[in-house]
């Protein structure tokens, strides 16, 4: 395993067109996922997309820690175990959106208020090729939307509606300490 270098906003790797994974059990995918998990925990972060480590494949990893959960364990908004999601597809469930502060390992030091669908369904496959089909709410839904956006070259600042909310995390948190709910960066 290895800790990989994370591309920062402006690096073309974050915009490379991505390809679906044809065989999730292939050794190079195993290695990539193991390295992504190690890199995510080291950062530390709670999600990472393959494009962030310069690999244009449709793979993301994430988890939802208890302290960020928006519901009881086992519910759509509850804490989620480490999830490897390959070839993900997201479908919004309803029109309702929430706005919360996000951060990103590719945009270190910054944060901003991002609207996201409150409830989504996501499907894909896991590392053994098993189907994944989940409903997500709240922070769980936000993490998945943020990570999957990376596979389409979209960074959270591109989703900010009110750019006056975007700034250095140190400064923004001083104002919005209670509202802070960051993605990726701890
Ligand atoms: Ni990110």
């Amino acid at each position: 395993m290895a800790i990989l270098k994370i591309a920062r906003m402006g690096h073309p790797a974050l915009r490379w067109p991505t390809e679906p994974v044809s065989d999730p059990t292939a050794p190079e995918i195993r290695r990539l996922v193991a390295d992504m998990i190690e890199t995510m925990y080291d950062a530390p972060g709670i999600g990472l997309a393959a494009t962030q480590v310069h690999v244009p494949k449709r793979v993301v990893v994430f988890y939802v820690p208890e302290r960020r959960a928006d519901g009881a364990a086992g519910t759509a908004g509850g804490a989620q175990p480490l999830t490897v999601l390959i070839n993900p597809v997201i479908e919004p469930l309803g029109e309702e959106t929430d706005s919360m502060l996000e951060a990103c390992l590719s945009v270190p030091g910054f944060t901003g208020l991002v609207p996201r669908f409150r409830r989504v369904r996501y499907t894909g496959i896991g590392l053994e090729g098993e189907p994944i089909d989940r409903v997500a709410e709240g922070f769980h839904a936000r993490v998945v939307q943020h990570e999957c956006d990376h596979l389409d070259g979209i960074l959270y600042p591109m989703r900010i509606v009110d750019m006056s909310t975007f700034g250095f995390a140190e400064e923004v948190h001083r104002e919005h300490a209670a509202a802070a709910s960051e993605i990726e960066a701890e």
Side-chain angles (χ1 to χ4, degrees):
M1 299 219 293
I3 292 168
L4 306 173
K5 187 172 182 195
I6 298 174
R8 293 183 305 172
M9 186 167 70
H11 193 292
L14 294 168
R15 301 188 300 273
W16 287 341
T18 51
E19 287 197 340
V21 171
S22 51
D23 178 8
T25 65
E28 76 264 22
I29 298 301
R30 297 274 155 141
R31 197 174 319 116
L32 168 67
V33 167
D35 289 347
M36 283 173 64
I37 292 168
E38 194 178 6
T39 303
M40 177 183 78
Y41 284 137
D42 175 72
I46 62 169
L48 193 68
T51 48
Q52 291 181 276
V53 292
H54 312 81
V55 177
K57 292 197 182 296
R58 299 190 73 79
V59 178
V60 302
V61 298
F62 64 89
Y63 69 105
V64 176
E66 193 62 54
R67 69 197 152 79
R68 295 291 174 81
D70 285 315
T75 66
Q80 299 295 315
L82 176 64
T83 299
V84 178
L85 184 61
I86 297 168
N87 303 340
V89 175
I90 294 184
E91 175 198 344
L93 298 176
E95 300 285 308
E96 200 187 338
T97 58
D98 283 335
S99 288
M100 290 187 109
L101 290 175
E102 288 190 18
C104 178
L105 295 172
S106 292
V107 193
F110 287 84
T111 189
L113 204 57
V114 184
R116 300 278 186 191
F117 289 109
R118 195 179 138 57
R119 203 172 145 83
V120 300
R121 175 186 177 195
Y122 62 93
T123 56
I125 51 176
L127 206 46
E128 308 298 334
E130 78 280 15
I132 292 174
D133 186 342
R134 294 183 191 163
V135 171
E137 267 181 27
F139 190 77
H140 178 199
R142 176 172 297 273
V143 172
V144 175
Q145 290 171 83
H146 176 120
E147 298 310 330
C148 293
D149 260 359
H150 276 295
L151 304 182
D152 296 321
I154 298 167
L155 299 177
Y156 83 82
M158 303 175 192
R159 297 271 190 205
I160 295 176
V161 173
D162 178 359
M163 280 304 284
S164 73
T165 68
F166 182 62
F168 289 97
E170 248 175 61
E171 305 294 345
V172 175
H173 287 166
R174 215 171 283 182
E175 262 194 282
H176 303 283
S181 180
E182 297 189 349
I183 305 283
E184 291 192 4
E186 289 292 304

